[in-house]
Amino acid sequence: MHQKKQVLIIVYYWPPAGGSGVQRWVYFTKYLRDFGWEPIIYTVQNPEAPYQDDSLKSEIPNGIQIIKEDIWEPFGAYRKLAGIKEGQKIKSGVIAQEKKSIKRYLIKWIRANLFIPDPRINWISKGIKTLSAYLSANKIDLIITSGPPHSAHLIGKKLHKKTAIPWIADFRDPWTQVFNWNLLPRTAIVEKIHKSLELSVLKTCDGLITVSHHCMNDLRKIFPVKTYKIITNGFDDIAPIALSSQGKNEIVMLYTGVLSADRNPLPLWKSLTTYLHNHSTVANKFKLKFYGDIDNAICKSIDESGLGKYTSFHQPVKHEEIIKIMQLSDILLLIGVPNEAGVVTGKIFEYISTGKPILAVSPEQSDIEQILNETETGINLPFEEIANFDKTMTDLIFKSTVPKNSQDLYQRISKFHRKNLTEELASFMNKIISARD
């Protein structure tokens, strides 16, 4: 039997942390052994993640070596300044979206200009030291870094230069092109530093991975990386297609995950309110449910639109539990980012695996729209004024009642199964190390 090739994977987010950033590399790790690769994970001891999800630990294969580094992060000081209780998790993007005040602005300015590229800068020097010693004692065929946080890429770049081990950079999200980049008050010098670091990563890596076509195109405009691969997020198992909740005399539209104020789809709330006003039979059954961190501005606009009486908000729940909640819903709501066609939230793939019709709001010709059209699993609407919403809702409600065939669904969405995506990843990894032989 051939000995498996060894890959060192540098990731900040790892169980018991939860969220899509964790799931991507947990599930790659789950299947890499099937394609001739043995993963070694390097992560941090206590990541500052918005969610905890112990259930993801069960997806990690037995015997995987996991190296954990204890690092200092500035979030303890931030909690004291912001009046957040010790141990309370800081929501994703919360520092960037703080309310205006002199103290809060000062916090944002310090975060933006003193912690480059991100608040995990202490991890860079520690990671380089720890992994340099590890690489001296162990044979590794390939290094992969996944960001954000982009500190991970700087660890990988330094190790690659020191050891000449091939290196792949995985951009789960963009760096300087990320949609909320301008929310932090960076100085012109700091902007240049970030762009210089980003360019150095793209120039130095042997291979580039990202999650969408638009994101890859944007990264390659910064530097035309020659060896690259788009590998989306995905779903792990196709869930047994559940009966709709309409048997309970409800029509449930479900949103899961984070929803920030800058992604507020105001025309959707307006159109939905009008639709329910004109269709009392649906209105009597309709429920709009949110599970996750929903910005207060979203809650307020929903209430002001007249949807408040139909709406309930719930705290984040574990991954395995939210899948069950998706199954018992009728329409799954997905909200992208205005003017950002390349942002593809990881939950779209778990949405499509349920067989439930999806109502998405994202820019026209976005990667989200392309995936929905390709898999025939939903409808995409623009963030601007919405036309023919009555027909859209009627079609979605009808589709939610039509019995689904699991085999037919899987044929349409199988390319997004985590194992198939891992096979693509392993093939790309083999290509990278072969080019260096």
Side-chain angles (χ1 to χ4, degrees):
M1 182 181 291
H2 293 294
Q3 186 176 5
K4 287 183 171 61
K5 298 179 283 291
Q6 309 287 306
V7 56
L8 174 65
I9 301 170
I10 301 172
V11 288
Y12 176 83
Y13 295 107
W14 192 256
S20 60
V22 181
Q23 293 165 29
R24 180 171 174 83
W25 281 97
V26 165
Y27 286 106
F28 283 149
T29 298
K30 178 178 180 178
Y31 291 115
L32 272 171
R33 284 174 169 172
D34 293 343
F35 302 105
W37 284 90
E38 179 66 24
I40 297 97
I41 308 300
Y42 174 70
T43 186
V44 301
Q45 190 67 45
N46 294 300
E48 186 63 47
Y51 308 124
Q52 294 286 108
D53 190 348
D54 290 325
S55 68
L56 290 173
K57 291 179 180 178
S58 65
E59 303 293 346
I60 303 169
N62 291 331
I64 294 291
Q65 184 178 6
I66 302 172
I67 306 165
K68 291 194 173 184
E69 188 82 74
D70 189 16
I71 66 169
W72 175 85
E73 299 183 59
F75 295 109
Y78 168 74
R79 285 189 181 88
K80 290 181 180 179
L81 287 169
I84 297 174
K85 293 179 181 178
E86 186 66 31
Q88 183 179 340
K89 290 294 180 182
I90 298 171
K91 296 177 184 179
S92 179
V94 71
I95 297 177
Q97 298 183 48
E98 285 286 7
K99 295 178 181 178
K100 293 181 179 179
S101 74
I102 293 175
K103 184 169 78 170
R104 296 295 172 90
Y105 180 82
L106 179 60
I107 292 171
K108 288 170 64 174
W109 192 94
I110 292 171
R111 155 65 182 90
N113 296 288
L114 300 187
F115 297 97
I116 304 170
D118 49 61
R120 286 86 185 187
I121 56 173
N122 177 245
W123 189 31
I124 300 172
S125 57
K126 280 201 164 188
I128 292 167
K129 181 178 179 180
T130 296
L131 293 178
S132 292
Y134 181 86
L135 294 173
S136 296
N138 298 273
K139 183 182 183 301
I140 294 294
D141 299 285
L142 181 66
I143 297 169
I144 296 179
T145 56
S146 183
H150 300 296
S151 289
H153 297 317
L154 301 187
I155 297 171
K157 184 180 75 168
K158 183 67 173 180
L159 294 173
H160 168 69
K161 286 188 170 182
K162 287 182 70 173
T163 65
I165 296 171
W167 164 45
I168 294 173
D170 172 45
F171 280 71
R172 300 189 320 276
D173 286 314
W175 188 333
T176 63
Q177 299 166 322
V178 70
F179 71 92
N180 57 2
W181 178 255
N182 291 327
L183 291 179
L184 286 174
R186 297 177 180 88
T187 65
I189 292 174
V190 168
E191 288 270 357
K192 288 182 180 179
I193 293 171
H194 274 281
K195 289 180 179 180
S196 175
L197 290 172
E198 178 182 43
L199 179 60
S200 73
V201 167
L202 296 174
K203 279 185 172 182
T204 308
C205 68
D206 294 291
L208 174 66
I209 297 173
T210 191
V211 296
S212 73
H213 293 277
H214 282 89
C215 186
M216 181 63 79
N217 290 339
D218 288 343
L219 286 169
R220 293 189 72 246
K221 287 176 184 175
I222 297 171
F223 182 78
V225 179
K226 292 182 179 179
T227 310
Y228 60 93
K229 181 76 174 175
I230 298 163
I231 304 180
T232 67
N233 292 310
F235 67 93
D236 192 40
D237 286 311
I238 188 164
I241 297 178
L243 294 173
S244 79
S245 62
Q246 292 178 45
K248 305 195 299 277
N249 203 36
E250 288 184 343
I251 299 174
V252 176
M253 180 181 288
L254 174 72
Y255 180 90
T256 69
V258 176
L259 188 55
S260 54
D262 52 351
R263 296 165 56 205
N264 193 357
L266 293 172
L268 175 64
W269 309 142
K270 178 181 175 182
S271 298
L272 189 52
T273 300
T274 302
Y275 177 84
L276 294 173
H277 179 76
N278 295 334
H279 297 79
S280 59
T281 304
V282 175
N284 291 336
K285 300 180 180 181
F286 187 77
K287 305 287 184 186
L288 177 59
K289 297 183 179 181
F290 291 83
Y291 281 80
D293 287 325
I294 312 301
D295 193 282
N296 288 335
I298 304 282
C299 303
K300 183 179 179 182
S301 64
I302 286 174
D303 191 53
E304 290 175 346
S305 71
L307 288 175
K309 62 184 177 181
Y310 305 104
T311 306
S312 60
F313 297 94
H314 308 267
Q315 291 298 310
V317 298
K318 291 183 178 180
H319 181 245
E320 57 188 10
E321 187 176 343
I322 201 63
I323 295 295
K324 294 176 183 176
I325 294 170
M326 289 178 193
Q327 291 175 285
L328 294 174
S329 301
D330 302 285
I331 299 168
L332 302 177
L333 178 60
L334 182 72
I335 300 174
V337 179
N339 305 312
E340 295 289 342
V343 175
V344 182
T345 58
K347 62 176 166 276
I348 186 175
F349 303 103
E350 288 176 338
Y351 274 15
I352 66 177
S353 76
T354 67
K356 304 294 181 176
I358 298 167
L359 173 60
V361 181
S362 76
E364 293 184 83
Q365 300 183 338
S366 66
D367 284 83
I368 287 174
E369 183 175 64
Q370 180 181 333
I371 290 166
L372 293 180
N373 290 341
E374 182 181 340
T375 58
E376 302 174 22
T377 50
I379 298 171
N380 185 64
L381 301 175
F383 273 94
E384 298 75 29
E385 290 300 317
I386 298 170
N388 302 318
F389 188 75
D390 273 31
K391 182 179 184 304
T392 297
M393 277 298 293
T394 301
D395 288 348
L396 289 168
I397 292 170
F398 172 74
K399 288 177 181 178
S400 73
T401 65
V402 176
K404 308 294 191 305
N405 180 291
S406 295
Q407 186 174 0
D408 172 65
L409 175 65
Y410 185 74
Q411 286 177 345
R412 285 185 278 121
I413 69 176
S414 60
K415 67 178 285 186
F416 300 113
H417 190 285
R418 301 271 192 186
K419 187 169 184 177
N420 294 335
L421 293 168
T422 307
E423 185 174 16
E424 287 188 43
L425 171 65
S427 176
F428 186 68
M429 292 160 65
N430 291 333
K431 178 180 179 180
I432 293 297
I433 64 169
S434 295
R436 296 290 297 271
D437 288 343

